[in-house]
Every structure is written in C-alpha cells, then in structure tokens.
C-alpha cells in the first residue's frame, strides 16, 4: 500500500491529539487529586473538618462536618462491598455523593464539588423516585447516577 500525503497528515494529526491528551481525560481531570484514603479522622483532617461523630460501628463510621454554613456527612466503611451496598441504598433517596475508596461524603452538590478539589473522588447522583412518579424528572436526578465534573 502506498502512503499518500493525506494519509500522512491524518496519521500526524492522530499522533498529535494522542500526545496532547485529548480524549476522555482532558485538563479537568488533572485538577482533581487522587482520592485520599485512611481513617475518618484522617479524611476529615484533609477536608479541614472537626468531625461530630454520629455512628462508630465496626462496619461504618459516620460524622457530620461543616463547610462554611453548609453541613455534610462523612462516612467510612470497613469493606468496599459494604460501601457500595450503602451507596446503592442511599441513592434511592436522591442526593449527591462524593465517593472515594471506602469513604463517602454526602451533601449539597456545591459543597461536594469543593471537597472534590481537596479529597478527590467521584461525584455520584442519587435518584429521586418521587419525581419520576409525579412526572417531574427534568432535573439531574434522571441521569445515569454519575456526575463527571
């Protein structure tokens, strides 16, 4: 097969795009740090929160934190499976969840986006089934449950 100028130009453009990092990553992903790990106290310290402990059990530890005037819940889990089961159940009630490895923060979307810049993680959106039943599924809760900002 003979290489033509248009084929060389196309190959060069593909190589430049690959080297530039275009695609699913992009520059927004670089702004989010790798998700923190550790105890509830360690994660709270990273978020500059003095945790008000609500639950201190073997499988889940949960505290209330404040960011400005807003409150959010910070929870850690003993297992990945326990965390996922908890999130899947909680998402049935709607809301926003910042998810890291064996931890989750639950609160207003704006608060979680700010925490994401410090703690890393992925924002997931719950489903408000009451809105679906009443025909009002015009907001973000009608999406796939993941929020990639």
């Amino acid at each position: 097969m003979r290489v033509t100028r248009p084929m060389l130009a196309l190959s060069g453009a593909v190589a430049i795009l690959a080297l530039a990092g275009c695609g699913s990553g992009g520059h927004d992903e670089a702004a989010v740090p790798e998700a923190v790990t550790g105890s509830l106290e360690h994660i709270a310290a990273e978020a500059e929160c003095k945790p008000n402990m609500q639950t201190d059990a073997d499988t889940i530890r949960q505290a209330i934190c404040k960011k400005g005037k807003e409150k959010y819940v910070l929870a850690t889990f003993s297992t990945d499976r326990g965390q996922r089961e908890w999130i899947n159940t909680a998402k049935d009630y709607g809301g926003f969840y910042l998810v890291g490895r064996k931890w989750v923060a639950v609160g207003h979307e704006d608060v979680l986006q700010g925490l994401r810049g410090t703690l890393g993680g992925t924002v997931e959106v719950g489903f408000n089934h009451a809105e679906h039943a009443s025909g009002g599924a015009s907001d973000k809760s009608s999406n796939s449950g993941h929020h990639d900002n």
Side-chain angles (χ1 to χ4, degrees), residues 33-40 42-44 59 61 74-84 87 97-105 119-124:
E34 187 172 329
V36 299
T37 59
S39 68
L40 187 137
H42 174 75
I43 296 167
T59 58
R61 298 183 73 221
L74 182 61
T76 57
F77 303 87
S78 60
T79 66
D80 293 320
R81 180 178 176 179
Q83 175 193 20
R84 183 45 55 191
I87 291 170
Y97 305 84
L98 179 61
V99 181
R101 182 150 194 284
K102 294 187 183 178
W103 63 265
V104 64
L119 301 178
T122 304
V123 176
E124 296 185 21

Side-chain angles (χ1 to χ4, degrees), residues 91-130:
K91 284 173 69 173
D92 283 342
Y93 298 95
F96 297 90
Y97 305 84
L98 179 61
V99 181
R101 182 150 194 284
K102 294 187 183 178
W103 63 265
V104 64
V106 183
H108 190 270
E109 182 180 20
D110 293 341
V111 173
L112 298 185
Q113 288 297 342
L115 285 173
R116 187 171 185 233
T118 303
L119 301 178
T122 304
V123 176
E124 296 185 21
V125 181
F127 304 100
N128 187 339
H129 296 290

